[in-house]
Amino acid sequence: MIRNYLKIALRKLWKNKIHTSINMLGLAIAFGSSILLYLTASYEFSYDTFHKDADRVYYLYFNSADKTGKPEYSAAMAYPLTPALKAEFPEIEAATRLNWGGGAITYQGKKFERNVRTVDADFLKVFSFPLLKGNINTALADKNGVVISKTTAQNIFGKEEPIGKQLLIELSGIKTPFIVSGVIDDAPKNSTVEYDALIRTENYSGYETLKDKWTSQNHQVYIKLAANTTQASTEKRLESLVNKYMKTTEEDAKKSGRMKNVRGQYLSLLLMPLKEVHFDTITGWGSGVSKSYIYTLLTIALLIVLIASINFINLTIAKSFTQAKEVGVRKSLGANKGQLFLQGWGEAFLVCIVALVIGLGMAYAFLPQFNKIFQSNLSIQNFLVSQNLLITLMGFFLITLIAGGYPAFVSSRFNIVQVLKGKLTRKKPGVLRNSLIIVQFSISCLLISCTLVIFEQLKFLRDKPLGYNKEQVISVPVGSALNSQTAVQQFRNELSKYTSIASVSGSQINFGNGLDGSSSRSTYGFDYYPNESDTKHSKSIVTDWLRVDYDFLKTMGIKTIEGRDFSPTFGTDSTALIVTESLVKQMGEKHAVDKFLMPDSAVGKQKVIGVIPDFYLYSLRRESRSITLEMAPKGRVSYILIRTQSQNLTEAMELVKNTWKKLAPKEEFKGSFINENVDRWYNKEERLSQIFSLAAGIAIILSCMGLFAVALMIIEQRTKEIGVRKVLGASIGSIVNLISVDFLKMVGIAFVLATPVAYYAMYKWLQDFAYRTSLAWWIFALAGVLLVVIALLTISYQSIRAALMNPVKSLKTE
């Protein structure tokens, strides 16, 4: 019997090729795209879950509020915090500081650019990265020990035994000897913490100066709680530590008029679970991947599958009415409802299983391109994980049961007498079909609206003036290839003979995301006393700090409003400051030139020599702060900035690249144009726009396929009616209008339903940006117009074809 059912199913599917092809292709596209989107979301959620005790590991961060009550967050910690935690909190099983460490690693005269991190000995206890060689208790016990990754060990030593060998690691320009005390496995790709080599925190440049300073914060801290300790109880206990060691910070916040945070405190030290760190968008230290972005991927995957399933249901039910007599005959010959359901569902299952195989093939074929477009690291291994296989199979059977089972259930309940008499009718003809079509086009309208809003926000971000001229400026990371104190001057000397080079300067922070992938932020908070004799009344200053070299303003195209630029002719400029307009407002002064600020008591008072307009040093996702410029100590910079006045930018970049090769022949050149760096700030938004564009395209294609097939079936069912109307004198236009108007009504209802949802969703999404575009009415109107045009184009061919049909032939056929 099963074999007969299979034969009948194959014959029916082959007989209705168009119907079968539309269903199969639609489901295959939906399955393939949804699997890729699901795997992407699954991969993002897998970050840091591989650690043995991931549920007990936390990341520390501060929470406070500004003068308006708006929450502020920071994950930068002071060096004395970790020792205090270990000494005073027995429930903290292990704790480690984590910071960027040294530069290049040298072995037997060969230099290797590697990611060196400074950590504490507990690093190997907080995290469960496998230690392949060495002892977990002693590997980081010695200040001069270094633990290197497996790949670093292979690249440096090859087959040679690394333990006990000496490496030279560049610390503040000085090559310092370290003994290899361990080899650790490489961090997986889904790890927030990355490293090539680990050295003790005490080796950090300036550690001796900062080790007892609670006001200087520049690194992250991870802790591991005891098994019987909760996050809430630890956060409660940390209040006493804040009161004990950070009283001054709280008093300053109160004095400056800041409000208390939601916990009723001026400053709270809180814990973030390790599994949430990858999704940290509040402290500025995480990868910035919002969970809403991941949930958006899953939602899009579900919507695409829903549209394909609606197509399947609509077309199968519509086709079942044309095959009603077959069902009637089978019933009259003794077939029961269960057998008819099984046959109908079996046909649907056959279509779905073929569609799944095709969809998997499409997903596999498109995987490299998908990874490239969305900057993912997916592979076939991600799919072969048991959890993902189980979810895929469960989803497949659920879709098959709903999409194939419902039409089979409907057809199995046909009245045998009405079917055989040819009088089969439904109580509410087309209600379900029309409702499903409205749902389809509502989803399409939603995705089109979201795509347009994202494009508009991306355009806004890229077109917004940043306060400096980002065009024709090349940023070159110094790294460890050149001496950071002399690198700018070396480039000046080499490039001064070329008229195409306008100026050369340097900065400790890059503009945008450069090719070195590095980013940092330095912030100072201090008090300013307008009247030095009155120490009771002060202004609280919070400012981003940027250390630069001479000609910085000229290179970046920034003009002074008051005062002057840094100049080598003034010896005192080594401690002078240039501030932005917003900092002058914080000071409460009309003129800031010749005023003195004291950000660091160890440095003393520093004179303001110039005021410049505000500019954006960081992504427009974040609210900008005032900026203070200071001459880099001893000329030490991290990036060389070169303004070119050549119209041939390729030639200018080649000139800079050749200069680099001359000065650092063994090191890779990672220079890039600042306008490209700034564009990379918004790679995430670019990916999101591409995902929505792709999803909207797929949704529209699937909806149109369904609409085309439904229109074709409706026209087939109304062939006699169209013939009669033509005989009675109906024009081609009136017949086209007759067929099209019902579909356009459904599109109109879909637009009305989708627009409020799209508006709310995009309004919430835009709240993630400190600077954002407005939700203009024309965006949603354009989405509606596009939807109507697409629907008209889809049904117009069939409508015109039906209107041009010879009525004699259609009536004769009937």
Side-chain angles (χ1 to χ4, degrees):
M1 187 177 72
I2 299 295
R3 187 169 61 183
N4 287 335
Y5 279 168
L6 184 61
K7 284 182 179 179
I8 293 168
L10 289 172
R11 285 172 184 167
K12 286 173 69 176
L13 293 175
W14 181 253
K15 182 182 177 182
N16 302 293
K17 296 184 187 68
I18 295 177
H19 171 273
T20 304
S21 300
I22 290 174
N23 271 337
M24 203 171 284
L25 182 60
L27 285 171
I29 293 171
F31 286 146
S33 55
S34 298
I35 285 169
L36 288 176
L37 291 172
Y38 165 73
L39 289 178
T40 303
S42 175
Y43 176 77
E44 295 292 339
F45 279 124
S46 73
Y47 263 76
D48 299 317
T49 56
F50 56 86
H51 288 290
K52 183 181 177 183
D53 297 312
D55 293 336
R56 293 198 281 137
V57 178
Y58 295 88
Y59 168 76
L60 296 183
Y61 70 100
F62 287 113
N63 171 224
S64 58
D66 64 12
K67 294 180 181 180
T68 64
K70 184 178 179 181
E72 293 182 342
Y73 304 92
S74 172
M77 298 293 149
Y79 275 104
L81 174 63
T82 301
L85 290 172
K86 294 183 70 176
E88 300 178 27
F89 291 80
E91 63 266 41
I92 295 178
E93 199 173 280
T96 182
R97 292 165 284 195
L98 180 67
N99 205 353
W100 301 102
I105 299 174
T106 303
Y107 179 67
Q108 294 183 348
K110 292 183 179 179
K111 187 183 284 188
F112 302 86
E113 288 287 345
R114 290 295 181 270
N115 174 9
V116 181
R117 310 297 298 268
T118 60
V119 299
D120 290 303
D122 277 356
F123 178 89
L124 299 173
K125 296 176 182 178
V126 172
F127 303 105
S128 57
F129 298 112
L131 191 66
L132 306 178
K133 293 185 179 182
N135 187 302
I136 192 172
N137 296 311
T138 60
L140 287 168
D142 190 350
K143 179 184 174 182
N144 297 319
V146 57
V147 174
I148 58 177
S149 69
K150 183 174 76 172
T151 299
T152 301
Q154 291 171 348
N155 291 343
I156 295 176
F157 298 104
K159 296 182 179 179
E160 190 180 349
E161 173 58 48
I163 300 295
K165 296 293 192 302
Q166 187 184 81
L167 297 176
L168 297 177
I169 299 178
E170 197 167 311
L171 302 176
S172 300
I174 301 171
K175 291 181 179 179
T176 308
F178 286 86
I179 303 299
V180 178
S181 54
V183 176
I184 193 171
D185 203 1
D186 295 333
K189 289 181 179 179
N190 58 341
S191 171
T192 302
V193 177
E194 299 174 341
Y195 54 79
D196 290 320
L198 305 170
I199 59 176
R200 284 286 295 267
T201 295
E202 292 81 354
N203 292 295
Y204 179 77
S205 174
Y207 174 78
E208 289 301 319
T209 307
L210 301 172
K211 67 179 182 179
D212 296 318
K213 281 192 175 183
W214 286 89
T215 54
S216 180
Q217 302 160 344
N218 68 349
H219 64 277
Q220 299 163 288
V221 172
Y222 288 87
I223 63 171
K224 183 177 182 180
L225 297 180
N228 59 346
T229 308
T230 65
Q231 177 182 346
S233 64
T234 306
E235 288 179 340
K236 185 68 178 173
R237 287 251 295 143
L238 287 173
E239 292 176 13
S240 61
L241 182 138
V242 172
N243 292 331
K244 182 177 180 180
Y245 295 107
M246 304 175 202
K247 198 70 178 175
T248 305
T249 306
E250 285 193 311
E251 289 173 353
D252 289 344
K254 189 175 181 180
K255 192 191 303 180
S256 63
R258 285 175 169 263
M259 296 181 70
K260 291 183 177 181
N261 60 21
V262 291
R263 298 173 69 94
Q265 300 162 347
Y266 286 106
L267 185 68
S268 301
L269 183 57
L270 304 175
L271 308 182
M272 183 182 295
L274 176 62
K275 293 177 183 178
E276 299 296 319
V277 176
H278 178 62
F279 306 106
D280 172 26
T281 59
I282 58 175
T283 68
W285 286 60
S287 61
V289 177
S290 172
K291 270 193 174 181
S292 61
Y293 172 75
I294 309 303
Y295 289 130
T296 299
L297 296 184
L298 291 174
T299 303
I300 290 173
L302 287 173
L303 292 178
I304 289 173
V305 170
L306 179 60
I307 289 176
S309 300
I310 287 172
N311 273 355
F312 192 93
I313 292 170
N314 263 345
L315 296 183
T316 306
I317 290 178
K319 199 66 184 174
S320 67
F321 283 96
T322 64
Q323 298 172 347
K325 286 185 179 180
E326 178 193 335
V327 175
V329 170
R330 287 182 178 278
K331 276 195 167 188
S332 67
L333 293 175
N336 59 39
K337 290 180 182 179
Q339 290 173 321
L340 292 170
F341 173 82
L342 187 62
Q343 184 188 344
W345 183 75
E347 291 174 15
F349 182 82
L350 194 61
V351 172
C352 288
I353 197 74
V354 174
L356 178 63
V357 173
I358 296 172
L360 287 171
M362 291 168 67
Y364 181 74
F366 189 63
L367 188 60
Q369 191 66 19
F370 183 87
N371 282 333
K372 184 179 179 181
I373 293 173
F374 302 124
Q375 298 181 9
S376 300
N377 294 301
L378 299 180
S379 65
I380 191 66
Q381 282 72 31
N382 293 104
F383 179 71
L384 296 176
V385 175
S386 57
Q387 178 185 341
N388 292 339
L389 286 172
L390 180 63
I391 290 174
T392 302
L393 289 174
M394 288 175 62
F396 169 74
F397 280 110
L398 182 63
I399 292 164
T400 306
L401 187 63
I402 295 171
Y406 180 74
F409 174 76
V410 171
S411 61
S412 68
R413 291 173 63 86
F414 286 162
N415 185 299
I416 184 172
V417 177
Q418 287 184 333
V419 166
L420 294 176
K421 284 183 176 182
K423 296 180 179 180
L424 181 64
T425 58
R426 300 182 65 192
K427 293 179 181 178
K428 295 181 180 179
V431 171
L432 176 64
R433 180 198 67 210
N434 293 348
S435 299
L436 293 177
I437 289 174
I438 288 170
V439 171
Q440 277 187 315
F441 276 94
S442 294
I443 294 170
S444 298
C445 186
L446 174 67
L447 294 174
I448 291 171
S449 298
C450 292
T451 302
L452 292 174
V453 172
I454 293 169
F455 274 135
E456 191 64 19
Q457 173 65 6
L458 200 55
K459 184 176 181 296
F460 172 83
L461 293 173
R462 286 176 170 163
D463 293 348
K464 185 174 176 64
L466 298 176
Y468 55 86
N469 186 357
K470 64 182 179 180
E471 306 298 330
Q472 296 185 293
V473 181
I474 299 170
S475 171
V476 182
V478 175
S480 59
L482 299 175
N483 186 326
S484 61
Q485 296 182 24
T486 60
V488 173
Q489 194 56 48
Q490 284 180 287
F491 264 79
R492 276 200 191 104
N493 295 340
E494 291 293 330
L495 297 174
S496 60
K497 52 193 172 188
Y498 297 100
T499 56
S500 59
I501 303 300
S503 60
V504 178
S505 186
S507 165
Q508 282 197 332
I509 294 174
N510 202 0
F511 286 75
N513 290 340
L515 297 181
D516 60 338
S518 178
S519 63
S520 62
R521 186 169 192 168
S522 180
T523 304
Y524 271 67
F526 56 92
D527 286 331
Y528 167 69
Y529 297 91
N531 186 348
E532 292 186 20
S533 60
D534 182 6
T535 57
K536 293 183 179 180
H537 297 90
S538 64
K539 300 285 186 179
S540 180
I541 306 292
V542 178
T543 176
D544 282 325
W545 206 264
L546 179 61
R547 293 184 171 92
V548 300
D549 202 89
Y550 296 115
D551 290 335
F552 174 79
L553 298 184
K554 179 183 177 183
T555 303
M556 297 308 298
I558 302 173
K559 296 182 180 180
T560 55
I561 296 172
E562 183 185 3
R564 61 177 177 82
D565 192 0
F566 296 116
S567 172
T569 58
F570 293 89
T572 55
D573 277 7
S574 59
T575 59
L577 304 175
I578 295 175
V579 300
T580 56
E581 284 181 287
S582 54
L583 191 136
V584 179
K585 290 178 182 177
Q586 288 187 65
M587 293 168 64
E589 304 281 3
K590 289 186 178 180
H591 303 283
V593 172
D594 295 334
K595 302 292 182 182
F596 287 89
L597 303 176
M598 193 161 69
D600 190 341
S601 57
V603 177
K605 293 180 180 179
Q606 294 179 262
K607 184 179 180 180
V608 177
I609 63 167
V611 178
I612 57 175
D614 289 309
F615 64 92
Y616 297 97
L617 186 57
Y618 301 99
S619 164
L620 296 178
R621 269 186 164 275
R622 310 176 188 176
E623 199 162 339
S624 66
R625 292 192 183 119
S626 59
I627 300 171
T628 301
L629 307 184
E630 179 187 33
M631 282 295 295
K634 299 180 181 179
R636 187 180 291 123
V637 298
S638 301
Y639 298 90
I640 302 166
L641 304 174
I642 304 152
R643 172 164 291 282
T644 174
Q645 51 194 12
S646 170
Q647 297 304 311
N648 190 334
L649 297 181
T650 305
E651 188 179 273
M653 179 62 83
E654 197 62 30
L655 173 61
V656 174
K657 187 175 182 179
N658 290 336
T659 304
W660 173 269
K661 286 181 178 179
K662 181 179 179 181
L663 298 174
K666 295 182 180 180
E667 298 298 328
E668 181 185 359
F669 176 72
K670 294 183 179 179
S672 56
F673 284 102
I674 282 181
N675 61 332
E676 295 173 353
N677 292 354
V678 169
D679 279 347
R680 276 189 282 269
W681 267 341
Y682 309 114
N683 277 350
K684 178 183 165 187
E685 286 70 34
E686 182 69 46
R687 289 199 301 274
L688 191 62
S689 71
Q690 290 174 336
I691 287 172
F692 266 100
S693 300
L694 184 62
I698 291 172
I700 290 167
I701 290 169
L702 293 178
S703 297
C704 290
M705 285 169 63
L707 188 62
F708 179 86
V710 170
L712 182 62
M713 295 233 177
I714 288 173
I715 289 167
E716 284 180 3
Q717 292 169 4
R718 299 178 71 175
T719 301
K720 184 177 180 180
E721 178 193 342
I722 293 169
V724 170
R725 285 179 179 273
K726 288 200 73 176
V727 169
L728 295 175
S731 65
I732 293 174
S734 64
I735 291 175
V736 171
N737 182 63
L738 172 73
I739 297 169
S740 303
V741 71
D742 289 336
F743 290 108
L744 293 180
K745 284 178 182 176
M746 288 186 276
V747 171
I749 294 170
F751 171 73
V752 171
L753 293 175
T755 300
V757 178
Y759 183 91
Y760 177 76
M762 287 296 95
Y763 174 79
K764 297 296 289 184
W765 178 71
L766 287 172
Q767 300 312 302
D768 287 342
F769 297 88
Y771 305 93
R772 49 188 174 265
T773 187
S774 58
L775 285 171
W777 66 268
W778 64 264
I779 294 175
F780 303 99
L782 178 60
V785 170
L786 287 173
L787 206 63
V788 170
V789 171
I790 291 166
L792 273 175
L793 290 174
T794 304
I795 60 178
S796 59
Y797 171 74
Q798 291 297 338
S799 301
I800 294 169
R801 184 168 170 268
L804 293 173
M805 192 182 297
N806 188 334
V808 175
K809 185 178 179 182
S810 60
L811 290 173
K812 183 180 177 181
T813 302
E814 287 290 321

